[in-house]
Amino acid sequence: MSRASKNLLEGVVTLLVGLALWLFTGDVEVPVVTPAKVGVVLMCVGGAQTAWGLYGAARRSA
């Protein structure tokens, strides 16, 4: 598995986990952090990692 495809796969998984947290944990109360806000952060990180994987795959094929 190449580095670009690994980044792409990890980014998509992170994005989906963040989306699930954001959608389904809106009313959950945790003392330190809000799971919905953690989901938003995970979606941002997953989106950036997915974009980096796509960039690496495009650069490698060109």
Side-chain angles (χ1 to χ4, degrees):
M1 181 178 264
S2 70
R3 186 177 203 121
S5 61
K6 182 181 173 188
N7 282 340
L8 185 62
L9 179 65
E10 287 178 2
V12 169
V13 170
T14 305
L15 184 79
L16 291 176
V17 168
L19 182 65
L21 280 173
W22 181 64
L23 288 176
F24 300 116
T25 61
D27 57 345
V28 175
E29 295 290 329
V30 180
V32 179
V33 295
T34 306
K37 290 181 183 178
V38 172
V40 171
V41 171
L42 283 176
M43 285 191 298
C44 293
V45 170
Q49 195 169 11
T50 302
W52 185 254
L54 288 173
Y55 171 74
R59 183 176 168 142
R60 184 173 185 210
S61 66

